[in-house]
Amino acid sequence: DGGITQSPKYLFRKEGQNVTLSCEQNLNHDAMYWYRQDPGQGLRLIYYSQIVNDFQKGDIAEGYSVSREKKESFPLTVTSAQKNPTAFYLCASTPGQGSTEAFFGQGTRLTVV
Amino acid sequence: SQELEQSPQSLIVQEGKNLTINCTSSKTLYGLYWYKQKYGEGLIFLMMLQKGGEEKSHEKITAKLDEKKQQSSLHITASQPSHAGIYLCGADEDNFNKFYFGSGTKLNVKP
């Protein structure tokens, strides 16, 4: 079955360490997105990529980095520069042509201790 | 950038009651999407609206987009505990698939 997979579901890291969240899709979608969600709040766009080897900053890109070397994969690195990294992170993808709904992964809950 | 405001932020209703959630944009919407989220999980797509005045229904949930394409409402008829969750409206900007979301409405349905 086609879908979008995030791993791991739960991640614990020590303060000051970089950590990479995985996002893989087998939907053959061109566009991929990373969102951050804090308790009781909506989704805020971190980075998005509309095509391989290209990506753009969203509204809260500081302290994060991404890469898009393959169409299926869009990993997100939370760096030590991110002041409040503890959050729920969601990855999504769309075909990239026209207006269609975004497909979401099940999310990764990152806790920095 | 696009801004989407949702209201109310939270809602508690008795089972069987109707309810409405609103989503207002600062810009004309190219596409408007409604999603539902259970706590700590991914988003489940509900409906997409593109045309001014468009209305769609699925089971007991109806979504509408106004003629100016700046406001949408989600209406649930005869609510059930299974409707509980967070409802999010999202929109894409200028057909470039840059998705934005509202802050969400947390719905609780009391049996």
Side-chain angles (χ1 to χ4, degrees):
Chain A
D1 288 339
I4 184 164
T5 302
Q6 289 186 243
S7 61
K9 189 167 184 178
Y10 299 97
L11 193 53
F12 294 87
R13 278 294 181 269
K14 290 184 178 179
E15 194 172 342
Q17 289 182 334
N18 291 354
V19 60
T20 298
L21 281 60
S22 170
C23 179
E24 303 277 331
Q25 52 99 359
N26 60 2
L27 299 165
N28 199 34
H29 283 175
D30 284 322
M32 296 185 75
Y33 310 79
W34 274 106
Y35 295 91
R36 169 180 172 142
Q37 187 177 34
D38 293 288
Q41 297 190 26
L43 278 62
R44 291 185 289 169
L45 184 62
I46 304 173
Y47 269 98
Y48 65 107
S49 167
Q50 293 173 322
I51 197 167
V52 175
N53 292 321
D54 188 40
F55 48 83
Q56 290 79 39
K57 292 182 179 180
D59 297 323
I60 56 165
E62 186 175 348
Y64 299 98
S65 65
V66 294
S67 62
R68 188 83 189 278
E69 297 175 1
K70 298 186 296 182
K71 189 175 185 178
E72 316 82 68
S73 179
F74 191 41
L76 173 75
T77 297
V78 184
T79 74
S80 56
Q82 169 50 234
K83 301 296 183 189
N84 297 296
T86 295
F88 187 57
Y89 292 89
L90 281 160
C91 179
S93 70
T94 68
Q97 295 287 337
S99 196
T100 66
E101 79 266 24
F103 291 77
F104 281 84
Q106 287 302 300
T108 293
R109 182 164 299 281
L110 172 64
T111 301
V112 174
V113 295
Chain B
S1 63
Q2 188 87 273
E3 286 191 5
L4 294 173
E5 287 191 16
Q6 277 187 244
S7 64
Q9 286 188 323
S10 65
L11 199 51
I12 302 173
V13 299
Q14 198 70 40
E15 183 176 359
K17 296 293 187 185
N18 303 337
L19 63 106
T20 300
I21 299 168
N22 294 302
C23 177
T24 302
S25 171
S26 57
K27 298 181 181 180
T28 299
L29 298 166
Y30 189 85
L32 188 284
Y33 308 81
W34 283 101
Y35 286 85
K36 179 184 175 184
Q37 184 185 29
K38 293 283 189 182
Y39 179 73
E41 297 182 12
L43 274 64
I44 300 168
F45 171 72
L46 296 175
M47 276 172 276
M48 176 178 81
L49 303 166
Q50 281 188 286
K51 300 176 183 176
E54 187 174 7
E55 179 175 324
K56 287 186 177 179
S57 294
H58 178 68
E59 297 179 347
K60 294 185 179 180
I61 300 176
T62 300
K64 300 178 185 179
L65 182 62
D66 74 339
E67 289 291 342
K68 292 184 178 179
K69 296 173 68 175
Q70 285 188 278
Q71 188 165 7
S72 178
S73 61
L74 185 83
H75 185 77
I76 298 177
T77 304
S79 58
Q80 300 168 353
S82 61
H83 287 127
I86 301 170
Y87 289 83
L88 291 146
C89 65
D92 54 356
E93 184 175 279
D94 299 330
N95 196 27
F96 291 130
N97 271 280
K98 184 179 179 181
F99 274 76
Y100 285 90
F101 286 86
S103 55
T105 295
K106 187 175 180 180
L107 172 64
N108 284 321
V109 180
K110 296 169 86 172

